Amino acid sequence: MHPFIHASSYPDKPACILASSNEVLTYGELEARANQAAHLLRSLGLKRGDTVAVVLGNDFEIFIAAWATQRIGLYITAVSTKTSVGDLAYVLENSEAKVLIAGKAYSDVAVQAASQIASSSMRIFGHAPGQVPFIQACEGFPTELISDPTAGSDMLYSSGMTGRPKGVKPQLPEGPIEAAIPLMLLGEALYGMGSASRYLSTSPLYHAAPLRWAMVIHRFGGTVVVMDRFDAEQSLELIERHRITHATFVPTHFVRMLKLDPEIRCKYDFSSLQAVIHAAAPCPVPVKHAMIDWWGPIIHEYYSGTETCGITALNSAQWLNKPGSVGRAVLGVVKIVGTDGEEVPAGIQGDVYFADGPRFEYHNDPEKTRQAYNQKGWATLNDIGWVDEEGYLFLTDRKSFMIISGGVNIYPQEIENHLITHPDVEDAAVIGAPDDEMGERVVAVLQLKAGVIGGDEFREQLRKFVRDALGGVKCPQQFDFRSELPREPTGKLMKRLLKAEYEAAHHTLKG
């Protein structure tokens, strides 16, 4: 199960379609270009276990680079297209990248970042003066599969909550490059993915889940329709036009689609959908109920991380029976651990760990790797939650997001999930801001719907809205309004930026 097999069987079948331009990359073309790229990288002396970094948008080039590295035993490190010069320089140095491939819009950043790192041997392909674009550099190399193919993998950087991102480095696969991988087996067993799948990719491909799921579809021989950026109505139009069978979204996408005018929501045909998958962030219970009511029981959810040390999953029927759950383990074994480091019984909250899952390490950071594992060898993604008697996992929040106000532990996820259901609220973030008396105070930072005025009267409405549902302890002491909240394109809320802003303001006031 690999593109080289599909290229031989049906070379003219679309492997990728760009939603913005309707351009098509066939399996025959993908295979030829990936082989040329593999030969190029080998000619530069790259060997099994080396790293290629890419700063590329949602287009064909990222797939050509990824499939090239996969067949010659390399790691691909995809970097955010919104990266700063400093962050890119850090990733390049930390990953020990031998090659950097930059798209046209990111070549200047690549040049500046490369100038900040000690290594002078890294080869850059880009569009800045003196550089050669990667695709152009591949021309003239053989289009046939290399004589000694070996499986590669990705080494992607987890954004983390504090400090620098961490490079998640799995072990390279052994065996033939066409061997099935765990995510492929899950895609087939849970979601019915196969050669007839037509998959809508809605998020940036530099993130773990979007890149990995798209490549799984290529392993099956299906077609990937790639959006360059998410748009609520366009996603509905693409589902109808391309007869999409599978798609991945994040809860923020659901919220935006649900808030479309009813006439627009009813305008498009989504009957081709077989499985819609969401992850990456908690989905408020009312939002998920609304999506199941709209699209039917085809909504699936899973919980994991870039580390992939374990996965839980559940379908619509299971979720309707266990609202708010993220499912039971399908990879690894869920363990809830108390403050004493021991496993706690069902129904008791604690740190979420996975036992018996795939091993990983944080590249060049043995201390962070050590902190991710406990004395029993179980790995954590630093979430807090509990399991019920049937083994269904319920997440409470990220451990680092917990607010301690007056000695009381408050988990903002529950408050955010309620606030987002208010008809005048477009987006919500709840954080702990420094407070001299309470240690931290609960602050809600909100993006309101167009035309809504966020004055004192509206703040009082929101206080009552939260207090009536969640009680006084969980009600924010402060409501602030923004035109937009800092979210990654995948929908993940970048709370660290908000917390840093409020901490800086507190220090300024303190003098």
Side-chain angles (χ1 to χ4, degrees):
M1 301 292 246
H2 192 278
F4 84 81
I5 297 173
H6 309 311
S8 175
S9 301
Y10 31 82
D12 296 329
K13 182 177 181 178
C16 305
I17 301 174
L18 300 184
S20 59
S21 63
N22 224 29
E23 291 178 81
V24 174
L25 180 70
T26 67
Y27 273 99
E29 291 167 337
L30 173 61
E31 180 63 15
R33 294 186 185 184
N35 283 332
Q36 288 182 312
H39 284 285
L40 167 64
L41 295 172
R42 275 283 185 87
S43 76
L44 297 175
L46 273 70
K47 60 186 183 302
R48 183 173 167 86
D50 285 340
T51 300
V52 172
V54 302
V55 188
L56 297 168
N58 279 17
D59 56 32
F60 299 149
E61 194 169 9
I62 192 168
F63 291 117
I64 294 166
W67 282 115
T69 59
Q70 196 281 331
R71 65 194 60 205
I72 54 173
L74 305 181
Y75 287 100
I76 185 168
T77 294
V79 185
S80 170
T81 56
K82 299 182 183 298
T83 187
S84 67
V85 171
D87 283 349
L88 178 56
Y90 164 78
V91 170
L92 293 174
E93 192 153 31
N94 182 262
S95 68
E96 301 170 287
K98 297 291 195 297
V99 168
L100 171 61
I101 303 168
K104 187 173 184 178
Y106 322 111
S107 294
D108 289 340
V109 172
V111 170
Q112 296 174 56
S115 69
Q116 295 186 9
I117 63 177
S119 172
S120 59
S121 60
M122 183 180 66
R123 179 69 181 269
I124 304 177
F125 294 98
H127 300 258
Q131 295 178 355
V132 178
F134 183 63
I135 297 300
Q136 181 180 329
C138 295
E139 294 174 358
F141 282 89
T143 58
E144 293 77 26
L145 185 64
I146 208 150
S147 60
D148 56 342
T150 179
S153 186
D154 58 48
M155 182 170 71
L156 304 179
Y157 277 69
S158 175
S159 58
M161 296 302 112
T162 58
R164 290 290 196 179
K166 306 179 292 291
V168 180
K169 189 173 188 177
Q171 295 179 343
L172 285 176
E174 300 292 342
I177 62 174
E178 67 269 26
I181 62 172
L183 194 62
M184 187 178 180
L185 299 175
L186 287 174
E188 183 177 36
L190 297 179
Y191 313 127
M193 291 179 175
S195 61
S197 296
R198 299 180 68 83
Y199 168 73
L200 180 63
S201 181
T202 60
S203 299
L205 291 166
Y206 56 75
H207 283 286
L211 180 60
R212 289 170 179 171
W213 280 120
M215 293 182 73
V216 161
I217 294 295
H218 285 158
R219 286 183 177 273
F220 281 119
T223 297
V224 178
V225 178
V226 182
M227 301 180 73
D228 56 356
R229 57 180 294 277
F230 178 77
D231 177 84
E233 184 175 359
Q234 186 194 25
S235 66
L236 300 179
E237 189 273 328
L238 291 170
I239 290 169
E240 177 180 272
R241 189 202 322 169
H242 293 285
R243 304 301 295 161
I244 296 297
T245 61
H246 295 78
T248 53
F249 295 94
V250 296
T252 302
H253 295 162
F254 286 165
V255 171
R256 291 175 183 173
M257 289 189 291
L258 287 166
K259 290 187 176 182
L260 289 170
D261 288 341
E263 289 184 2
I264 293 176
R265 286 176 52 188
C266 297
K267 180 180 175 182
Y268 298 100
D269 176 15
F270 53 84
S271 61
S272 59
L273 288 173
Q274 298 174 18
V276 171
I277 308 151
H278 74 92
C283 186
V285 169
V287 171
K288 189 157 179 177
H289 265 301
M291 286 303 301
I292 294 174
D293 288 343
W294 181 16
W295 283 0
I298 60 170
I299 311 295
H300 297 256
E301 181 172 4
Y302 71 89
Y303 160 68
S304 187
T306 305
E307 293 82 351
T308 322
C309 53
I311 302 175
T312 68
L314 81 173
N315 59 30
S316 290
Q318 292 168 320
W319 185 88
L320 288 169
N321 190 43
K322 305 276 187 178
S325 174
V326 294
R328 290 188 289 192
V330 295
L331 181 67
V333 180
V334 175
K335 302 285 187 179
I336 306 299
V337 176
T339 55
D340 61 356
E342 296 299 320
E343 187 175 4
V344 299
I348 303 300
Q349 181 176 272
D351 295 337
V352 180
Y353 279 80
F354 283 98
D356 304 328
R359 296 284 301 183
F360 72 92
E361 65 180 52
Y362 292 122
H363 185 58
N364 283 339
D365 203 328
E367 178 58 23
K368 284 183 179 177
T369 302
R370 186 192 65 78
Q371 293 172 3
Y373 287 87
N374 67 5
Q375 68 275 14
K376 301 178 188 294
W378 304 343
T380 183
L381 300 174
N382 289 310
D383 288 312
I384 299 171
W386 55 279
V387 294
D388 68 8
E389 295 287 351
E390 297 179 80
Y392 283 87
L393 174 63
F394 293 78
L395 296 178
T396 305
D397 214 327
R398 292 287 294 178
K399 190 173 183 178
S400 57
F401 289 163
M402 185 178 71
I403 300 168
I404 304 177
S405 183
V408 177
N409 293 349
I410 299 170
Y411 298 99
Q413 178 184 315
E414 182 182 12
I415 308 169
E416 292 165 353
N417 287 351
H418 182 64
L419 282 168
I420 199 65
T421 65
H422 192 286
D424 293 327
V425 173
E426 189 75 24
D427 202 359
V430 174
I431 63 170
D435 187 277
D436 292 336
E437 181 182 356
M438 303 295 286
E440 289 184 298
R441 68 183 183 280
V442 183
V443 177
V445 186
L446 306 176
Q447 176 185 338
L448 304 182
K449 292 196 72 173
V452 178
I453 299 174
D456 290 341
E457 183 178 346
F458 187 62
R459 286 186 173 89
E460 288 305 314
Q461 291 179 22
L462 291 171
R463 284 193 182 91
K464 185 176 187 305
F465 180 71
V466 176
R467 192 182 296 114
D468 288 351
L470 305 179
V473 172
K474 298 176 183 178
C475 185
Q477 289 91 43
Q478 182 175 333
F479 290 88
D480 292 338
F481 306 112
R482 301 286 176 86
S483 59
E484 190 174 19
L485 297 187
R487 284 191 181 271
E488 293 179 354
T490 56
K492 184 179 291 185
L493 190 61
M494 295 186 284
K495 285 190 180 181
R496 65 187 182 278
L497 300 182
L498 290 173
K499 286 180 69 68
E501 180 183 329
Y502 279 81
E503 288 167 1
H506 180 75
H507 292 319
T508 300
L509 287 174
K510 295 280 289 184

